[in-house]
Amino acid sequence: AAKSSQRGSIRFYSHDLTARARERMEFRNSLRAAMTNKEFCVYLQPKIRLSDGKMMGAEALVRWQHPTRGLITPDHFIPVAEELGLISAIDMQVLSILCRYLEVWQPHLVPEQRFAVNLSALQFNHEDLVQTISDTLQQNRCGTEHLELEITEGVLLVHCEHLANKILQLKQMGFTLALDDFGTGYSSLNYLSRYPIDVLKIDRSFITDMNTSRSSQVLVKTIVSMARNLNMKVVAEGVEDEQQSALLQSYDVELAQGYLFSKPIPIEQFAQCYNLPEIIND
Ligand code: C2E
Ligand code: MG
Ligand code: MG
Ligand code: MG
């Protein structure tokens, strides 16, 4: 315990700091090790077509199977991974795993089904982003026709030619491009006409608020009609109850994701659930 003297308190405080610093360092080291030990796994959350309840693809969400702490969700390690420069490797590992499944799922999919991965905003600072993605596809003999890339609004905020080129190249490779967490970022909508975005994913916060807020309903309706006029599709994120689902259907929202339909589940379980082939040896 801390001594009452000034000196003692200071010593106690610095000891406490050291413990936290050590824990942080251990967390960082275990994150680095997780790469080589293949501790990341892919969960999929289905995207559901509201008109008939069919699964029209899914979003890949990374999880970290930590040797002692159990399953860790991305919010707890993505920021650290970004800081350590590990995020690109993690995103490519997720894409790789998804590609391996898509190769065997391919014959069972309908053309409109899309499987999405999230790209960290930081990746767009890398000169070799497009090359890295195309290498990953090639290593797994995977085409882009069922693949979607989710990027966040923040990426598009600062317009520059490098960014525009990267996005255009990804589009030309055949990826579907989705804007994640739409509506939470920035007030200027200029970028929507500047980039070849195919899908707007309406942020969960709007969907949650629809039940109690008339103005959130108006906002969602407005986003939907704007998307339609710009020839974009809409996915509603975080649909948790029937009331939200019914409202979205009345606005002609095509696709929805959320706990009402399914939580994210391990990719093997997703395969079983939707009668898709499983990969036996890994
Ligand atoms: P996101 O891309 O917006 O993903 C949606 C998040 O909402 C997921 O959290 C998902 O589990 C959660 N969610 C889905 N439906 C519901 C619902 O009905 N209710 C509630 N309360 N939550 C719902 P998760 O898996 O914890 O991921 C959090 C964020 O981490 C993601 O947000 C994404 O930005 C990031 N992330 C996840 N996987 C990756 C990845 O492989 N690479 C990168 N760079 N980021 C990732
Ligand atoms: Mg996402
Ligand atoms: Mg989102
Ligand atoms: Mg999010």
Side-chain angles (χ1 to χ4, degrees):
K3 287 191 181 130
S4 50
S5 77
Q6 186 73 3
R7 255 184 86 112
S9 313
I10 289 166
R11 202 177 295 141
F12 175 78
Y13 178 66
S14 69
H15 170 79
D16 201 43
L17 251 191
T18 311
R20 264 195 294 153
R22 192 187 306 117
E23 205 202 322
R24 262 164 57 102
M25 200 179 71
E26 274 164 13
F27 189 78
R28 283 152 182 258
N29 288 339
S30 63
L31 190 56
R32 287 197 188 87
M35 280 310 303
T36 34
N37 297 342
K38 301 225 152 92
E39 288 164 10
F40 297 109
C41 48
V42 173
Y43 277 47
L44 290 184
Q45 185 180 40
K47 284 179 282 187
I48 301 299
R49 185 160 63 196
L50 289 172
S51 58
D52 59 5
K54 289 247 159 63
M55 182 276 289
M56 296 312 292
E59 174 177 8
L61 296 157
V62 69
R63 299 288 183 264
W64 178 11
Q65 188 63 62
H66 191 282
T68 55
R69 296 178 192 219
L71 203 65
I72 306 182
T73 51
D75 289 333
H76 292 99
F77 67 87
I78 295 270
V80 186
E82 288 181 331
E83 218 180 290
L84 296 178
L86 295 173
I87 191 64
S88 169
I90 294 176
D91 285 355
M92 290 311 113
Q93 225 171 65
V94 170
L95 179 60
S96 248
I97 294 171
L98 182 60
C99 280
R100 267 187 272 146
Y101 276 86
L102 284 181
E103 194 199 352
V104 296
W105 290 355
Q106 169 81 37
H108 305 267
L109 299 178
V110 298
E112 307 83 59
Q113 280 171 324
R114 291 287 179 282
F115 293 81
V117 294
N118 291 279
L119 289 184
S120 160
L122 290 188
Q123 302 235 49
F124 286 86
N125 300 332
H126 292 162
E127 214 36 74
D128 53 2
L129 170 68
V130 175
Q131 190 59 48
T132 310
I133 290 178
S134 104
D135 289 348
T136 305
L137 292 185
Q138 243 165 33
Q139 280 155 21
N140 296 287
R141 297 174 301 277
C142 187
T144 51
E145 68 215 78
H146 292 289
L147 279 173
E148 185 166 302
L149 302 176
E150 293 192 8
I151 58 187
T152 50
E153 254 181 312
V155 169
L156 308 184
L157 179 66
V158 185
H159 178 70
C160 74
E161 212 147 300
H162 291 295
L163 174 68
N165 280 336
K166 280 173 203 158
I167 291 181
L168 199 63
Q169 282 182 66
L170 293 170
K171 176 71 184 167
Q172 283 166 347
M173 284 170 71
F175 285 107
T176 300
L177 301 180
L179 209 48
D180 205 357
D181 304 338
F182 182 75
T184 56
Y186 303 92
S187 50
S188 162
L189 295 175
N190 280 340
Y191 62 78
L192 282 184
S193 54
R194 214 184 264 148
Y195 298 103
I197 302 297
D198 304 290
V199 180
L200 297 183
K201 299 194 74 177
I202 305 178
D203 192 68
R204 169 159 58 93
S205 56
F206 296 102
I207 310 304
T208 307
D209 292 348
M210 278 198 314
N211 282 348
T212 51
S213 149
R214 172 90 188 116
S215 59
S216 290
Q217 294 178 14
V218 173
L219 277 175
V220 171
K221 246 198 274 194
T222 307
I223 293 172
V224 172
S225 83
M226 179 186 70
R228 192 172 297 126
N229 289 327
L230 291 168
N231 268 317
M232 295 173 185
K233 289 199 172 206
V234 164
V235 179
E237 293 193 290
V239 179
E240 291 185 348
D241 61 45
E242 295 289 355
Q243 191 188 342
Q244 293 159 352
S245 173
L247 278 172
L248 292 166
Q249 242 184 300
S250 76
Y251 308 156
D252 277 328
V253 169
E254 194 191 346
L255 300 175
Q257 230 179 297
Y259 295 171
L260 173 64
F261 311 106
S262 169
K263 293 204 166 185
I265 52 177
I267 194 164
E268 316 83 54
Q269 195 181 322
F270 185 93
Q272 284 175 2
C273 196
Y274 291 101
N275 271 313
L276 293 162
E278 289 168 70
I279 297 178
I280 311 295
N281 53 341
D282 212 21

